[in-house]
Amino acid sequence: MRALAFIKFLHNLFNTPSYSGTMAITILDCYTDEPAGLGVPPYLGTYPRYLYGYLKEEHETINYLTIDDLRLHIFYQGKIKEKAQTDIKTYNLTKNYPHISKILSETNELIIIVGVHAPGKYLSALPGILHEVLRLVKDIKCKKVLTGPALYGTSLEGGKFFEKADLQKFDEVRNYNFPFAKVAGYAVSGAELVKQIPDYRIIELETGRGCSSKGCNFCTEPLKSRLMFRRKEDIILEMKAMHENGVVDFRLGKQACFYTYPGPDKLLERIREEIKDIRTLHIDNVIPSMVLSSRGDRITEAIVKHCTPGNIAAFGVESFDPAIIEANNLACDAETSFEAIKRVNELGREMGKNGMPKYLPGINILFGLEAESKQSQEENMKWLKKIYDDGLLVRRINIRQVAVFPGTKLYERCGNKYLRKNKRYYWKWRNEIRQKIDFPMLRRLVPKGSILKGIRTEVHDGNTTFGRQIGSYPLSVGIKKKLPLKKFYDIKVEDHMLRSVVGSIQ
Ligand code: SF4
């Protein structure tokens, strides 16, 4: 019996089902965050959009719910309460939340998208993890199907093994791994999903899968796909379909490296020619060595010219320590990362019209990798200090503890050995970077008196309102006033915190 159940489990995992047109299907988006791809609000990821387009082929109506809708329904009987601190667990509601009881009672199949592989802190959302999701859906009487990156494990916090994914607690587990030939159509018909969302969303666009590097030992991206790219025509058609549904904010972010895409400069040029009135056009994820390649300057110049200001090349540096770089097969050495940071500064740091430089590097640092020692922190500080002392700008330094996923070389070679060994230093190491690098860097980036335009208010914390510009890694601004949410303001920078600024309305 067990063997039979396992065969059925594997069959379901690798085969997309065919549906009868009378089934009522609901997509439950618990949000996704992967090294290559973000689907946490205000971003709308590819998983629900492609799935919607695929289901649309056979169904008239597909309901889209967020985990926030379900939390509000279960914990607050669907009533939104005014609180001093905005509840980010119920902030991202769809238009369907007032009808959720009816939707769920009529649903035959609930397809649940879950998966956080690159955990972070989110200003106005909290992704669901398997443990929470299982609890929330247990009383819903329908078939429950799990999909999304959680199939490879999921973790809301770094520094841990993946959340023990008891996949068999769901009725089915399915990997909707659509080939790009199918995505072409699904992405276009899936664009109308945004009609069910009352708020704005930044659309995370996919340009490629897999990775051109040797494959970093901790990363799940090379496990998921070999290297492949989407056709420019298909990306543009998807953007046009989105635009027709009212979307004006886009990020070309679902890929390991934007510079690796064939002809990314041409892609940007065509987007600008063919789609007017784009409010945000940003990118994400860059392998530093690609910036220094023979076509690197051409691509950087195209990004500066065609994208909107406040754009960031998130460099997966991970560590400046040569011992870690070698042991973990990382894509670049410290010198290369430094030179790439310098080159993006030379070509991109000119001030944009929203008060932020047009295009800057960001740095990702990971703690807990193989061969990590006290020396690693010294190397990180040495290079970060050099970046600062050379007068360069870095928009943000993202420091995380690695999440150890099964199937990765990190999992096989040492698991969480280094996390356990060095955990006691992490607060100190992180704080050293925050105090000695981040803080003065932020003062250099946006000195007191700078004007930041188009800050959208997102959450309240007591009498302080927090907002951000729309885009890739926008700077959080705290305003000491209770302002209406979801409105735009121009802000004058009054003071600096470690990673955010205090501002007043202009
Ligand atoms: S460069 Fe490394 S971390 Fe980035 S996607 Fe490739 S394998 Fe993953």
Side-chain angles (χ1 to χ4, degrees), residues 428-491:
K428 192 169 145 244
W429 290 356
R430 177 184 277 118
N431 194 44
E432 189 178 11
I433 296 173
R434 295 284 175 249
Q435 302 278 355
K436 294 188 181 163
I437 310 293
D438 271 308
F439 187 56
M441 185 67 84
L442 195 53
R443 286 194 295 185
R444 175 184 287 167
L445 182 71
V446 280
K448 278 185 191 176
S450 305
I451 305 292
L452 298 177
K453 295 196 172 154
I455 299 287
R456 188 171 186 271
T457 50
E458 281 188 56
V459 293
H460 290 137
D461 185 1
N463 284 326
T464 303
T465 306
F466 286 93
R468 303 178 283 191
Q469 291 171 327
I470 292 176
S472 228
Y473 311 102
L475 180 60
S476 287
V477 181
I479 306 137
K480 290 181 179 155
K481 229 177 182 187
K482 199 151 188 175
L483 296 170
L485 298 183
K486 304 183 181 181
K487 303 271 182 233
F488 289 95
Y489 295 90
D490 292 346
I491 297 293

Side-chain angles (χ1 to χ4, degrees), residues 67-69 71-72 87-92 125-126 132:
I67 190 167
D68 297 39
D69 290 324
R71 288 171 180 146
L72 190 78
D87 182 5
I88 62 166
K89 292 175 94 177
T90 58
Y91 185 73
N92 299 286
L126 188 70
E132 182 193 10

Side-chain angles (χ1 to χ4, degrees), residues 35 211 213 215-216 218-219 221-222 256 287 318 331:
C211 182
S213 80
C216 308
F218 64 90
C219 182
E221 188 60 28
I287 297 175
E318 323 302 358

